[in-house]
Amino acid sequence: MKAFVYIVISSFMLFSVPSPMKAEKVPLIFSVKSFPGEEGTQIRLVLYNNSEGDKKITFRTSQMFDFTIKNKAGQVVYRYSQGKSFLQAFQTLTLKKGETKSWKETWDYKQEGKRVPQGHYKIEAQLMGEDMSGFNHPLRASDSFLVPEENPSFRGVTVREVKGRFTITGLARVSDGGFYYSVEDGHRVFLKETLFKVNKEAPNWTDFSIILPELSGNVEKAFISLYERDKGDGKILHRYVISIP
């Protein structure tokens, strides 16, 4: 009898225990992603309204976000807000259901005017706003990326498009009178290797400007590679890659 009562009570307790609660849906999702290049990284911050209705985020100033970049030792090498002035007035951002707001910034790999060493770095971002419908704490996000070694042969390279033609400008410090360039998308070659002669050789830096011919084929996203070749075995040296357009 006692055993029967124990089983009944145990069964009742088993079925009366509340089931685990469903994970609460996060209303706002904040993220940050870095896209490192040769001479700097593009930083993309995104705020996504994951709730079932509109969200109004209030900011105490015109500054909507901040972020720091730290080296492997945890030392801050860059802070977005440092040296910047922001309007001291309330701002409101409204996001509809499923809508996103994104911001783009860049960091030139420099700390106090000098390029940081190559290696792993971490970006830590914070949304500066408050959602008056419930969210009142800072949203944070982080990402890690690699700062590449500084290219010894090319720097300050930019791409400009005028009427469908691309002009590549920058500074080169190369030997043997020139360097090579080519255009591809990783699968197709749009422009075969071409030699470009420079006015000055290393150790001098010299300006260069390349006007690319019209590229045949469907070019949605391509890359131009600048590089030298070893005098002995012809091996590619100091490749510098930049996207076009």
Side-chain angles (χ1 to χ4, degrees):
M1 183 65 179
K2 289 183 179 179
F4 175 75
V5 173
Y6 175 77
I7 293 173
V8 172
I9 294 174
S10 298
S11 300
F12 175 78
M13 291 177 64
L14 177 64
F15 287 103
S16 63
V17 173
S19 59
M21 294 180 63
K22 293 183 179 180
E24 186 177 352
K25 189 175 182 180
V26 179
L28 291 169
I29 299 176
F30 182 55
S31 62
V32 61
K33 182 68 178 176
S34 44
F35 302 89
E38 294 282 353
E39 297 182 76
T41 182
Q42 184 183 93
I43 298 163
R44 186 166 184 255
L45 306 101
V46 177
L47 180 63
Y48 171 64
N49 182 1
N50 192 44
S51 71
E52 297 301 320
D54 295 355
K55 284 289 182 181
K56 290 187 177 182
I57 302 95
T58 302
F59 301 85
R60 298 181 182 276
T61 70
S62 61
Q63 181 185 4
M64 295 188 174
F65 60 87
D66 201 0
F67 63 82
T68 59
I69 295 176
K70 298 180 180 180
N71 59 20
K72 195 173 182 179
Q75 300 168 325
V76 175
V77 298
Y78 178 79
R79 186 183 300 277
Y80 166 75
S81 60
Q82 186 172 341
K84 292 182 173 66
S85 298
F86 300 97
L87 181 65
Q88 300 300 306
F90 279 85
Q91 312 287 317
T92 301
L93 171 65
T94 301
L95 287 180
K96 295 182 179 180
K97 175 184 175 181
E99 188 178 9
T100 62
K101 170 65 177 178
S102 63
W103 300 270
K104 289 182 180 180
E105 295 294 333
T106 56
W107 176 50
D108 60 3
Y109 298 151
K110 291 183 179 179
Q111 179 184 17
E112 297 179 354
K114 294 183 179 180
R115 183 173 170 127
V116 299
Q118 72 174 116
H120 293 277
Y121 290 78
K122 184 178 182 179
I123 177 171
E124 297 179 349
Q126 174 181 331
L127 187 74
M128 306 299 289
E130 298 178 352
D131 175 7
M132 303 312 290
S133 63
F135 159 73
N136 59 1
H137 59 277
L139 286 179
R140 302 180 187 274
S142 64
D143 186 35
S144 298
F145 62 98
L146 180 67
V147 172
E149 183 180 5
E150 185 173 15
N151 195 298
S153 300
F154 306 97
R155 71 184 184 192
V157 181
T158 59
V159 179
R160 184 167 58 94
E161 181 182 3
V162 179
K163 296 181 180 180
R165 298 284 295 274
F166 296 100
T167 300
I168 318 300
T169 59
L171 291 169
R173 183 172 61 183
V174 295
S175 304
D176 203 26
F179 63 88
Y180 299 89
Y181 64 93
S182 61
V183 179
E184 59 181 282
D185 66 357
H187 304 284
R188 298 171 296 169
V189 176
F190 298 108
L191 182 64
K192 294 182 178 180
E193 179 177 278
T194 304
L195 175 64
F196 184 87
K197 292 290 185 179
V198 296
N199 297 324
K200 299 177 183 179
E201 293 186 1
N204 299 301
W205 287 96
T206 184
D207 295 313
F208 69 85
S209 180
I210 302 170
I211 301 177
L212 298 181
E214 291 187 12
L215 304 176
S216 59
N218 184 18
V219 184
E220 293 184 356
K221 191 69 173 180
F223 304 90
I224 180 168
S225 295
L226 313 175
Y227 51 90
E228 297 183 81
R229 284 195 177 275
D230 186 271
K231 293 180 181 180
D233 58 14
K235 182 181 179 180
I236 290 178
L237 301 173
H238 310 145
R239 185 192 294 273
Y240 186 113
V241 181
I242 188 169
S243 63
I244 57 174

